[in-house]
Amino acid sequence: MSSLTEIRWHGRGGQGAKTAALLLADVAFSTGKHVQGFPEYGPERMGAPITAYDRISDKEIRVHSNIYEPDYVVVVDETLLTSVDVTNGLKEEGAILINTAKSKDEIIPLLRGYKGKVFTIDAKDVCMKTLGKYFPNTPMLAAIVKVSGVLDTDTFLKGMEESLQHKFAKKPEVLEGNMKALKLAIEEVR
């Protein structure tokens, strides 16, 4: 991994892309990395396209702008592939991660000629098996950590458990389900 990794998240309002970007920044920060995690604000509403960003580095981060040439792109809602240019600026030595039940062969024609690596995960399937409800941000968060290598997966899982224990102190079943979703997503990304 280079010194600076930039990740752009595409989702829809209410799917948790912003939350996932902020959680990734928090966990990376807890390991001693320099981080930025932020959404792009606009007229967000439930279901509207949103964008969020992460910068993670071993060194101080001096740039303070949106990310125009990301190393990785996370697409939380595959319907965005036909309405948003999610591959715009995406480095070909990086990768795109898409939440879909479709095969790579079905997805590649929607990527506007992108020639880099394409990873997929069926976040809905992961959620239904582990949480019983559809919260795509949890599996997408674990999957991008696996794909990007921005954090060691064991370190990431430990950091997430600590973060979720604090957040869901009075709901241990939520903590358990989210941890199962994170672990399964790491295994299921393809």
Coordinates of all heavy atoms in Angstrom, one line a residue, residues 46-93:
M46 N -33.5 11.0 1.7 CA -33.5 9.6 1.6 C -33.6 9.1 0.2 O -34.5 9.6 -0.6 CB -34.8 9.1 2.4 CG -34.8 7.6 2.6 SD -33.6 6.9 3.6 CE -34.2 7.4 5.2
G47 N -32.7 8.2 -0.2 CA -32.8 7.7 -1.6 C -32.0 8.5 -2.6 O -31.7 8.0 -3.7
A48 N -31.6 9.7 -2.3 CA -30.8 10.5 -3.3 C -29.4 10.0 -3.3 O -28.8 9.6 -2.3 CB -30.9 12.0 -2.9
P49 N -28.7 10.1 -4.5 CA -27.3 9.8 -4.5 C -26.4 10.6 -3.6 O -26.6 11.8 -3.5 CB -26.9 10.0 -6.0 CG -28.2 9.9 -6.7 CD -29.2 10.5 -5.8
I50 N -25.5 10.0 -2.9 CA -24.6 10.7 -2.0 C -23.2 10.2 -2.3 O -23.0 9.1 -2.8 CB -25.0 10.5 -0.5 CG1 -24.8 9.1 0.0 CG2 -26.4 11.0 -0.2 CD1 -23.5 8.9 0.8
T51 N -22.2 11.0 -1.9 CA -20.8 10.7 -2.0 C -20.1 10.9 -0.7 O -20.4 11.9 0.0 CB -20.1 11.5 -3.1 OG1 -20.9 11.4 -4.3 CG2 -18.7 11.0 -3.4
A52 N -19.2 10.0 -0.3 CA -18.4 10.2 0.9 C -17.0 9.8 0.6 O -16.8 9.1 -0.5 CB -19.0 9.4 2.1
Y53 N -16.1 10.2 1.4 CA -14.7 10.0 1.1 C -13.9 9.6 2.3 O -14.2 9.9 3.4 CB -14.0 11.3 0.6 CG -14.8 11.9 -0.6 CD1 -15.7 12.9 -0.3 CD2 -14.5 11.6 -1.9 CE1 -16.4 13.5 -1.4 CE2 -15.1 12.2 -2.9 CZ -16.1 13.1 -2.7 OH -16.7 13.7 -3.8
D54 N -12.8 8.8 2.1 CA -11.8 8.5 3.1 C -10.4 8.7 2.5 O -10.1 8.4 1.3 CB -11.8 7.0 3.5 CG -13.0 6.7 4.4 OD1 -13.0 7.3 5.5 OD2 -13.8 5.8 4.1
R55 N -9.6 9.3 3.3 CA -8.1 9.4 3.0 C -7.5 8.7 4.3 O -7.7 9.1 5.4 CB -7.6 10.8 2.9 CG -7.9 11.4 1.6 CD -7.1 12.7 1.4 NE -7.4 13.3 0.1 CZ -8.4 14.2 -0.1 NH1 -9.0 14.7 1.0 NH2 -8.6 14.7 -1.3
I56 N -6.6 7.8 4.0 CA -5.9 7.1 5.1 C -4.4 7.1 4.7 O -4.0 6.7 3.6 CB -6.4 5.7 5.3 CG1 -7.9 5.8 5.6 CG2 -5.7 4.9 6.4 CD1 -8.7 4.5 5.6
S57 N -3.5 7.5 5.7 CA -2.1 7.6 5.4 C -1.3 7.3 6.6 O -1.7 7.4 7.7 CB -1.8 9.0 4.9 OG -0.4 9.1 4.6
D58 N -0.1 6.8 6.4 CA 0.9 6.7 7.5 C 1.5 8.0 7.8 O 2.2 8.2 8.8 CB 2.0 5.7 7.1 CG 1.4 4.3 6.9 OD1 0.5 3.9 7.6 OD2 1.9 3.6 6.0
K59 N 1.4 9.0 6.9 CA 2.0 10.3 7.1 C 0.9 11.4 7.2 O -0.3 11.1 6.8 CB 2.9 10.7 5.9 CG 4.0 9.7 5.8 CD 4.9 10.0 4.5 CE 6.0 9.0 4.4 NZ 6.7 9.1 3.1
E60 N 1.2 12.6 7.7 CA 0.3 13.7 7.7 C -0.4 13.9 6.4 O 0.3 13.9 5.3 CB 1.0 14.9 8.2 CG 0.1 16.1 8.4 CD 0.8 17.3 8.9 OE1 2.0 17.3 9.3 OE2 0.1 18.4 9.0
I61 N -1.7 14.2 6.4 CA -2.4 14.5 5.1 C -2.5 16.0 5.0 O -3.1 16.6 5.9 CB -3.8 13.8 5.2 CG1 -3.6 12.3 5.3 CG2 -4.6 14.1 3.9 CD1 -4.9 11.5 5.6
R62 N -2.0 16.5 4.0 CA -2.0 18.0 3.8 C -3.1 18.5 2.8 O -3.3 19.7 2.7 CB -0.7 18.5 3.4 CG 0.4 18.2 4.5 CD 1.7 18.8 4.1 NE 2.7 18.5 5.1 CZ 3.0 19.4 6.1 NH1 2.4 20.6 6.1 NH2 3.9 19.1 6.9
V63 N -3.7 17.6 2.0 CA -4.7 18.0 1.1 C -6.1 18.0 1.7 O -6.4 17.1 2.6 CB -4.7 17.0 -0.2 CG1 -5.0 15.6 0.2 CG2 -5.6 17.5 -1.3
H64 N -6.8 19.0 1.4 CA -8.2 19.1 2.0 C -9.2 19.5 0.9 O -9.6 20.6 0.7 CB -8.2 20.3 3.0 CG -7.3 20.0 4.2 ND1 -7.6 19.1 5.2 CD2 -6.0 20.4 4.5 CE1 -6.6 19.0 6.1 NE2 -5.6 19.8 5.6
S65 N -9.6 18.4 0.1 CA -10.5 18.6 -1.0 C -11.3 17.3 -1.1 O -10.9 16.3 -0.5 CB -9.8 19.0 -2.3 OG -9.0 17.9 -2.7
N66 N -12.2 17.3 -2.0 CA -12.9 16.1 -2.4 C -11.8 15.2 -3.1 O -10.7 15.7 -3.4 CB -14.1 16.3 -3.3 CG -15.2 17.0 -2.6 OD1 -15.3 17.0 -1.4 ND2 -16.2 17.4 -3.4
I67 N -12.2 14.0 -3.3 CA -11.2 13.0 -4.0 C -11.7 12.8 -5.4 O -12.8 12.4 -5.7 CB -11.2 11.7 -3.2 CG1 -10.6 11.9 -1.8 CG2 -10.4 10.6 -4.0 CD1 -10.7 10.7 -0.9
Y68 N -10.8 13.3 -6.3 CA -11.1 13.2 -7.7 C -10.5 12.1 -8.5 O -10.9 11.7 -9.6 CB -10.7 14.6 -8.4 CG -11.4 15.7 -7.7 CD1 -10.8 16.6 -6.8 CD2 -12.8 16.0 -8.0 CE1 -11.4 17.6 -6.2 CE2 -13.4 17.0 -7.3 CZ -12.8 17.8 -6.5 OH -13.4 18.9 -5.8
E69 N -9.4 11.5 -7.9 CA -8.7 10.4 -8.5 C -8.5 9.3 -7.5 O -7.4 9.1 -7.0 CB -7.4 10.8 -9.2 CG -7.6 11.7 -10.4 CD -6.3 12.2 -11.0 OE1 -5.2 11.9 -10.5 OE2 -6.4 12.8 -12.1
P70 N -9.6 8.6 -7.0 CA -9.5 7.7 -5.9 C -8.7 6.4 -6.3 O -8.7 6.0 -7.5 CB -10.9 7.3 -5.6 CG -11.7 7.5 -6.9 CD -10.9 8.7 -7.6
D71 N -8.1 5.8 -5.3 CA -7.5 4.5 -5.5 C -8.6 3.4 -5.6 O -8.4 2.4 -6.2 CB -6.6 4.2 -4.3 CG -5.5 5.2 -4.3 OD1 -4.6 5.3 -5.2 OD2 -5.4 6.0 -3.3
Y72 N -9.7 3.6 -4.8 CA -10.8 2.7 -4.7 C -12.1 3.4 -4.7 O -12.2 4.5 -4.2 CB -10.6 1.8 -3.4 CG -9.4 1.1 -3.3 CD1 -8.2 1.6 -2.7 CD2 -9.2 -0.2 -3.9 CE1 -7.0 0.9 -2.6 CE2 -8.0 -0.8 -3.9 CZ -6.9 -0.3 -3.2 OH -5.8 -1.0 -3.2
V73 N -13.1 2.7 -5.3 CA -14.5 3.2 -5.3 C -15.3 2.1 -4.7 O -15.2 0.9 -5.1 CB -14.9 3.6 -6.7 CG1 -16.4 3.8 -6.7 CG2 -14.2 4.9 -7.1
V74 N -16.2 2.5 -3.8 CA -17.2 1.6 -3.2 C -18.6 2.0 -3.7 O -19.0 3.2 -3.5 CB -17.2 1.6 -1.7 CG1 -18.2 0.7 -1.1 CG2 -15.8 1.4 -1.1
V75 N -19.3 1.1 -4.3 CA -20.7 1.4 -4.8 C -21.6 0.6 -3.9 O -21.7 -0.6 -4.1 CB -20.8 1.1 -6.3 CG1 -22.3 1.4 -6.8 CG2 -19.8 1.8 -7.1
V76 N -22.3 1.3 -3.0 CA -23.2 0.7 -2.1 C -24.6 0.3 -2.7 O -25.2 -0.7 -2.3 CB -23.5 1.6 -0.9 CG1 -24.4 0.9 0.2 CG2 -22.1 2.0 -0.2
D77 N -24.9 0.9 -3.8 CA -26.2 0.7 -4.5 C -25.9 0.5 -6.0 O -25.6 1.5 -6.7 CB -27.2 1.8 -4.2 CG -28.6 1.5 -4.8 OD1 -28.7 1.0 -5.9 OD2 -29.5 1.9 -4.1
E78 N -26.1 -0.7 -6.5 CA -25.7 -0.9 -7.9 C -26.6 -0.1 -8.9 O -26.1 0.1 -10.1 CB -25.8 -2.4 -8.3 CG -27.2 -3.0 -8.4 CD -27.2 -4.4 -8.8 OE1 -26.9 -4.8 -9.9 OE2 -27.6 -5.2 -7.9
T79 N -27.7 0.4 -8.5 CA -28.5 1.2 -9.5 C -27.8 2.5 -9.8 O -28.1 3.1 -10.9 CB -29.9 1.5 -8.9 OG1 -29.8 2.3 -7.7 CG2 -30.7 0.2 -8.6
L80 N -26.8 2.9 -9.0 CA -26.1 4.1 -9.4 C -25.2 3.9 -10.6 O -24.7 4.9 -11.2 CB -25.2 4.5 -8.1 CG -26.0 5.0 -6.9 CD1 -25.1 5.1 -5.7 CD2 -26.7 6.3 -7.2
L81 N -24.9 2.6 -10.9 CA -24.0 2.4 -12.1 C -24.6 3.0 -13.4 O -23.8 3.3 -14.3 CB -23.8 0.9 -12.2 CG -23.0 0.2 -11.1 CD1 -23.0 -1.3 -11.4 CD2 -21.6 0.8 -10.9
T82 N -25.9 3.1 -13.5 CA -26.5 3.6 -14.7 C -26.8 5.1 -14.6 O -27.1 5.7 -15.6 CB -27.8 2.9 -15.0 OG1 -28.7 3.0 -13.9 CG2 -27.5 1.4 -15.3
S83 N -26.7 5.7 -13.4 CA -27.0 7.1 -13.3 C -25.9 8.0 -12.8 O -25.9 9.2 -13.0 CB -28.2 7.3 -12.3 OG -27.8 6.8 -11.0
V84 N -24.8 7.5 -12.3 CA -23.6 8.2 -11.8 C -22.4 7.6 -12.4 O -22.2 6.4 -12.5 CB -23.6 8.2 -10.2 CG1 -22.3 8.8 -9.7 CG2 -24.8 8.8 -9.6
D85 N -21.5 8.5 -12.8 CA -20.2 8.0 -13.4 C -19.3 7.6 -12.2 O -18.4 8.4 -11.9 CB -19.5 9.0 -14.3 CG -18.3 8.5 -15.0 OD1 -17.9 7.3 -14.8 OD2 -17.7 9.3 -15.7
V86 N -19.5 6.4 -11.6 CA -18.8 6.0 -10.4 C -17.3 5.7 -10.7 O -16.5 5.8 -9.8 CB -19.4 4.8 -9.7 CG1 -20.8 5.1 -9.3 CG2 -19.4 3.6 -10.7
T87 N -16.9 5.5 -11.9 CA -15.5 5.2 -12.2 C -14.8 6.5 -12.6 O -13.6 6.4 -12.9 CB -15.4 4.2 -13.4 OG1 -16.1 4.7 -14.6 CG2 -16.0 2.8 -13.0
N88 N -15.4 7.6 -12.6 CA -14.7 8.9 -13.0 C -13.5 9.1 -12.1 O -13.6 9.2 -10.9 CB -15.7 10.1 -12.8 CG -15.1 11.3 -13.3 OD1 -14.3 11.4 -14.3 ND2 -15.5 12.4 -12.6
G89 N -12.3 9.2 -12.8 CA -11.1 9.4 -12.1 C -10.5 8.2 -11.4 O -9.4 8.3 -10.9
L90 N -11.2 7.1 -11.4 CA -10.7 5.9 -10.6 C -9.4 5.4 -11.3 O -9.4 5.1 -12.5 CB -11.8 4.8 -10.6 CG -11.4 3.5 -9.9 CD1 -10.9 3.7 -8.5 CD2 -12.6 2.5 -10.0
K91 N -8.4 5.3 -10.5 CA -7.1 4.8 -10.9 C -7.2 3.3 -11.3 O -7.8 2.5 -10.6 CB -6.0 4.9 -9.9 CG -5.8 6.4 -9.5 CD -4.8 6.5 -8.3 CE -4.6 7.9 -7.9 NZ -3.9 8.0 -6.6
E92 N -6.7 3.0 -12.5 CA -6.8 1.6 -13.0 C -5.9 0.6 -12.1 O -6.2 -0.6 -12.1 CB -6.4 1.5 -14.5 CG -7.5 2.1 -15.3 CD -7.3 1.8 -16.8 OE1 -6.4 1.1 -17.2 OE2 -8.1 2.3 -17.6
E93 N -4.9 1.1 -11.4 CA -4.2 0.2 -10.5 C -4.9 0.0 -9.2 O -4.5 -0.8 -8.4 CB -2.8 0.7 -10.3 CG -2.6 2.1 -9.7 CD -2.7 3.2 -10.7 OE1 -2.9 3.0 -11.9 OE2 -2.4 4.3 -10.3

